[in-house]
Amino acid sequence: MALISDHPTAALSFRDAAWPAETAGNPRFATRWLTHEDAAGPQRNAWRELAANASEPNPFYEDHLLLPALQHLSGKSDIRLLAIEDRLEPGRLIAFLPVKVSHTCRGLPLPTATAWRSIHTFLATPLIRKGCEWDGMRAIVRSLRQAGIKLIRMPHMAADGPVAEALSVLTSTNSLAVATSRSFERALLRSGHDGESYIAESISKKKRKEYARQSRRLADLGEVTFETADMRDEAAVEGIALEFLELELASWKGRAGTAIAQRPAEARFFFDACRAAAAAGKLFPLTMRVDGAPVATILNFGGSGSDGTGQFSFKIAHDERYARYSPGVLLELELTRRLLDTPGIAFTDSCANPDHPMIDHLWRERRTMQDVTITTSKFVPSAAVHWAAAVDRTEFSAKRSLRALVARIKRSA
């Protein structure tokens, strides 16, 4: 059975069958459907070259994070990697997006492609070559339409960058219906100031004095150091990963059963991702120690891009026995100084939830995120995307209410 067809009602069967290497009907750009094995092998260099020249960095869709996620966190889902190649320059990719395809969307019988995210994917903006944003987004939509897809869902996509702008122009000029399920902001660090000046402007004098007092009290317990291990040393990489897992396991996450170490597949992903990122020079840990013992650790992953390197805060954990000294805040303050004082780092994305109680008070800048659904053709009823968005919003609201209820119960216990 043909998996990709120009017929608008083509049946989709994405499992246990060979995909064609190319979708017809796009004169300038070739559509390559890659498997995990393709991406890890013959297409890896082209993928990396695209990431290095991407309009917007996204390490979660680079090989050092996506390949471990596909191996350990995709479950039974059949994920395919959509790569768009420029026929004028064979081997040169202009766009890349992992997608998960389903036959329905929120109860509607419409084949739907969703930009794939694992539980540890905090950004789902496609990798698109700088200067090719319009061509890249158009080729993605066209390729999915030719595969029989009716709707495209793009959760956790940056809303304020050139890729989102290209998508907006594409939908309006082609009469494609679009609906936003959710829009939110999260903390971002991007400033021309040095670290100390930024902290002085961002944090009140009263708060700075309090953090300085906590830092002195912590120093009374032993020598406080901030360390970045040598990521060229495999043993050091594994040591940092283990320290983080142990700190997280001993925290409230361990008591709640949500620590990475308590979930074997996530633990394997975490170790493989740390190794791969370190080998690529894109793992950036910072650990605060007291007399050599880890008190707090934060891990950042690097993302390539045409306009400089971006960093993305992945996880932070601290020893709760030191909670009175605010070790997480002290570590973030030191990280802020280092990030702003290091040339070549264009920005750092907190990857935090909206209204985060800690990082939102330290970093002033914000990044707007959105979850959007679009039609691949003007002939797909616009009501479909608005229905899907409405169901999404109801689900988001229910989850927020549940979290608030759990929080109240914990406070009253």
Side-chain angles (χ1 to χ4, degrees):
M1 178 178 65
L3 297 181
I4 296 183
S5 168
D6 290 331
H7 194 278
T9 58
L12 298 170
S13 176
F14 285 29
R15 181 174 291 279
D16 299 328
W19 280 46
E22 180 177 314
T23 299
N26 194 345
R28 168 72 186 274
F29 301 106
T31 302
R32 309 296 187 191
W33 291 105
L34 309 179
T35 63
H36 177 280
E37 292 74 18
D38 295 328
Q43 296 294 326
R44 196 165 190 168
N45 287 338
W47 181 10
R48 287 177 170 174
E49 192 275 337
L50 168 63
N53 293 279
S55 177
E56 298 180 47
N58 185 357
F60 302 101
Y61 283 171
E62 292 190 51
D63 62 316
H64 57 285
L65 292 188
L66 184 57
L67 290 179
L70 288 170
Q71 182 176 358
H72 300 298
L73 303 178
S74 60
K76 297 181 179 180
S77 301
D78 189 41
I79 312 301
R80 294 289 166 156
L81 311 177
L82 173 56
I84 307 298
E85 181 183 19
D86 189 345
R87 282 195 172 107
L88 296 182
E89 299 182 54
R92 180 178 183 264
L93 300 181
I94 69 160
F96 179 92
L97 179 68
V99 296
K100 176 182 177 181
V101 175
S102 60
H103 293 273
T104 62
C105 178
R106 292 304 196 184
L108 300 174
L110 294 173
T112 302
T114 302
W116 183 68
R117 296 172 56 229
S118 77
I119 191 174
H120 295 300
T121 300
F122 305 126
L123 180 65
T125 301
L127 290 178
I128 298 184
R129 185 176 296 274
K130 185 176 182 180
C132 298
E133 294 86 359
W134 161 263
D135 285 330
M137 284 307 310
R138 181 177 59 174
I140 287 173
V141 172
R142 180 180 291 179
S143 298
L144 291 170
R145 181 173 65 245
Q146 290 168 351
I149 300 298
K150 303 299 183 183
L151 301 178
I152 304 174
R153 292 166 66 78
M154 306 189 76
H156 257 65
M157 179 179 177
D160 48 8
V163 174
E165 182 179 355
L167 178 61
S168 177
V169 174
L170 178 69
T171 56
S172 62
T173 56
N174 289 271
S175 301
L176 304 179
V178 58
T180 300
S181 306
R182 178 174 61 153
S183 179
F184 62 94
E185 292 184 334
R186 67 189 187 198
L188 184 80
L189 180 65
R190 179 167 50 201
S191 172
H193 294 300
D194 63 87
E196 287 299 340
S197 298
Y198 184 88
I199 289 172
E201 290 187 11
S202 299
I203 304 172
S204 68
K205 184 176 180 180
K206 180 179 179 180
K207 275 290 187 182
R208 295 200 308 274
K209 289 180 64 175
E210 174 61 16
Y211 295 145
R213 184 192 67 80
Q214 290 175 319
S215 181
R216 292 192 299 270
R217 295 290 77 79
L218 185 61
D220 291 340
L221 305 179
E223 182 184 11
V224 177
T225 58
F226 294 92
E227 300 178 7
T228 298
D230 184 357
M231 293 293 96
R232 296 168 297 180
D233 184 340
E234 291 184 6
V237 173
E238 293 187 0
I240 285 293
L242 280 172
E243 279 189 346
F244 174 85
L245 291 179
E246 290 169 353
L247 282 174
E248 189 186 56
L249 185 60
S251 72
W252 66 269
K253 289 188 177 182
R255 295 191 296 274
T258 60
I260 292 176
Q262 294 170 302
R263 302 177 176 185
E266 292 184 37
R268 289 192 292 270
F269 156 77
F270 181 74
F271 258 83
D272 285 356
C274 285
R275 291 191 189 103
K282 295 179 179 179
L283 178 63
F284 304 97
L286 184 62
T287 303
M288 181 169 68
R289 300 181 183 276
V290 174
D291 283 343
V295 172
T297 295
I298 190 168
L299 297 176
N300 281 9
F301 286 115
S304 306
S306 61
D307 295 330
T309 299
Q311 286 201 20
F312 295 76
S313 295
F314 183 68
K315 295 287 181 180
I316 185 171
H318 69 271
D319 189 330
E320 292 187 351
R321 293 175 297 178
Y322 296 85
R324 70 180 66 179
Y325 308 104
S326 300
V329 175
L330 297 182
L331 182 62
E332 286 284 8
L333 288 172
E334 179 64 21
L335 177 67
T336 299
R337 296 184 184 97
R338 295 186 179 210
L339 289 170
L340 292 178
D341 293 342
T342 301
I345 299 177
F347 66 89
T348 302
D349 188 335
S350 69
C351 296
N353 291 327
D355 302 318
H356 192 277
M358 187 259 282
I359 198 64
D360 276 13
H361 296 288
L362 301 183
W363 293 358
R364 297 194 304 269
E365 296 78 33
R366 296 291 181 265
R367 181 174 214 180
T368 303
M369 305 293 295
Q370 63 181 356
D371 297 351
V372 297
T373 301
I374 67 171
T375 61
T376 61
S377 167
K378 63 182 179 181
F379 300 110
V380 179
S382 61
V385 296
H386 294 294
W387 165 261
V391 175
D392 287 345
R393 285 192 289 269
T394 299
E395 183 177 285
F396 295 145
S397 178
K399 288 181 178 179
R400 283 196 300 269
S401 297
L402 179 59
R403 286 195 296 267
L405 176 60
V406 170
R408 286 198 299 270
I409 292 173
K410 286 182 177 179
R411 288 195 297 268
S412 62

